[in-house]
Amino acid sequence: MAQIEDTFRHQGMRRKLIAEIKQKGITDDGVLEAIGSIPRHLFMDNSFIQFAYSDKAFPIASGQTISQPYTVAFQTQSLQIKKFDKVLEVGTGSGYQSAVLCRMGAIVYTIERQKALYDFARNLLPVLGFRPQFFYGDGYLGLPTYGPFDKIIVTAGASFVPEPLKQQLKIGGIMVIPVGQSDHQIMKIITRITETEYTEDDKGGFVFVPLLTGLSD
Ligand code: SAH
C-alpha cells in the first residue's frame, strides 16, 4: 500500500499541471478541480513519483499504463459529467481515472481484467475517500446487470466499439472510446439518440494500451 503523503510540493506541481492542461484546451472546471486535488503520485510506482505531475502516461503494474493527465481530462470533459451520473469505466488500471470521476460526483462502476491492478485500485481508492464499485472481469461485456449507464468511458484502445457497451448506454447517454489499431486510435464520442440510433464524433488521435478480451489469469 502506498504511503499516503501529499506535500505542498506535490500540490504546487499539480497547479502547474492544471495550467498546462488548461492551455491544451481543457475548460471543464470540475475536471480541473478534480485533477488539481487528486494526488496522482500515489497511483504510480515509487520510481516514477518525480514524474507524476508531468503531462505524460507512465508504466504501472502488469505492463499497463496510467493515462496521460491531458487524456484523462479530455475523456472526462467529453462525457460532460454531472453529479450522480452513473458511469461505467472499462480499464480501471491504477484507479486514477475512477478517482477523477468520483471526485466529480459520479457513481462509478469500473472493470479491470488484470487481477493485480484490480487489487491495487480496490485497496487504494477507499483510503483516499473514493468508493467506486470494482469489478474483475472482461470489459468488452460491460456490466449488463448494473446498466444502463449515463456515461461510458473506455480507457484502452479498442479495434471496434463493443456492441454490449452500446446497448448499456442510456438514451441521451455518452460513450467515449479510443478506436483503432494497436499503435494509434481515434477518440470517438458516441451519443445514443434513440433505442436504435447513435451519433459518432471523431476527436483526434491518441495512443492507449490495447483493450484485450478475457481475463489475465
Ligand atoms: N483508467 C486507467 C488507465 C489504465 S490503462 C488509469 O487511470 O490508470 C487501460 C487498462 O485497461 C489496463 O489496466 C488494462 O489491463 C485494462 N483492460 C484492457 N482490456 C480490458 C478489458 N477487456 N476489460 C477490462 N479492462 C481491460
Side-chain angles (χ1 to χ4, degrees):
M1 168 57 56
Q3 209 189 327
I4 305 303
E5 191 190 33
D6 191 35
T7 64
F8 283 124
R9 192 167 147 255
H10 290 122
Q11 291 160 26
M13 285 155 85
R14 280 204 292 282
R15 277 196 292 276
K16 277 192 195 155
L17 175 62
I18 291 299
E20 196 176 337
I21 63 174
K22 246 183 169 170
Q23 207 180 25
K24 291 178 181 174
I26 302 303
T27 53
D28 184 321
D29 286 335
V31 173
L32 295 167
E33 192 283 330
I35 289 180
S37 72
I38 296 169
R40 185 173 187 254
H41 59 281
L42 299 177
F43 294 77
M44 297 169 59
D45 283 354
N46 282 333
S47 52
F48 291 119
I49 277 186
Q50 67 269 40
F51 301 122
Y53 297 106
S54 58
D55 190 21
K56 292 198 171 78
F58 272 105
I60 52 175
S62 310
Q64 305 303 314
T65 57
I66 178 170
S67 300
Q68 183 181 340
Y70 172 74
T71 303
V72 171
F74 186 89
Q75 286 199 288
T76 311
Q77 178 166 285
S78 303
L79 290 178
Q80 301 170 31
I81 296 294
K82 293 192 291 291
K83 215 170 177 191
F84 305 123
D85 268 354
K86 190 171 160 186
V87 182
L88 171 65
E89 179 192 27
V90 175
T92 312
S94 66
Y96 179 74
Q97 171 73 70
S98 293
V100 168
L101 292 164
C102 288
R103 174 81 192 184
M104 294 177 73
I107 313 298
V108 180
Y109 299 73
T110 184
I111 318 176
E112 173 57 56
R113 65 179 288 284
Q114 294 279 357
K115 185 71 164 47
L117 291 171
Y118 161 78
D119 287 333
F120 174 85
R122 200 170 47 138
N123 285 321
L124 175 62
L125 268 74
V127 176
L128 301 176
F130 301 120
R131 300 188 184 281
Q133 285 204 48
F134 294 97
F135 298 85
Y136 173 52
D138 182 356
Y140 263 106
L141 309 173
L143 290 173
T145 53
Y146 292 84
F149 299 94
D150 296 296
K151 312 284 162 67
I152 298 179
I153 176 169
V154 179
T155 68
S159 50
F160 59 91
V161 182
E163 193 56 35
L165 298 186
K166 287 174 80 171
Q167 287 309 322
Q168 289 166 38
L169 201 55
K170 285 187 191 172
I171 292 170
I174 306 173
M175 165 159 48
V176 59
I177 177 170
V179 181
Q181 305 310 309
S182 60
D183 57 345
H184 185 258
Q185 300 94 29
I186 301 294
M187 195 69 80
K188 287 192 179 291
I189 317 290
I190 297 171
T191 306
R192 188 171 196 173
I193 303 298
T194 65
E195 191 62 40
T196 54
E197 292 167 294
Y198 298 81
T199 59
E200 239 180 72
D201 213 1
D202 288 355
K203 293 286 188 186
F206 289 82
V207 181
F208 284 82
V209 294
L211 187 70
L212 303 171
T213 50
L215 294 175
S216 61
D217 48 35

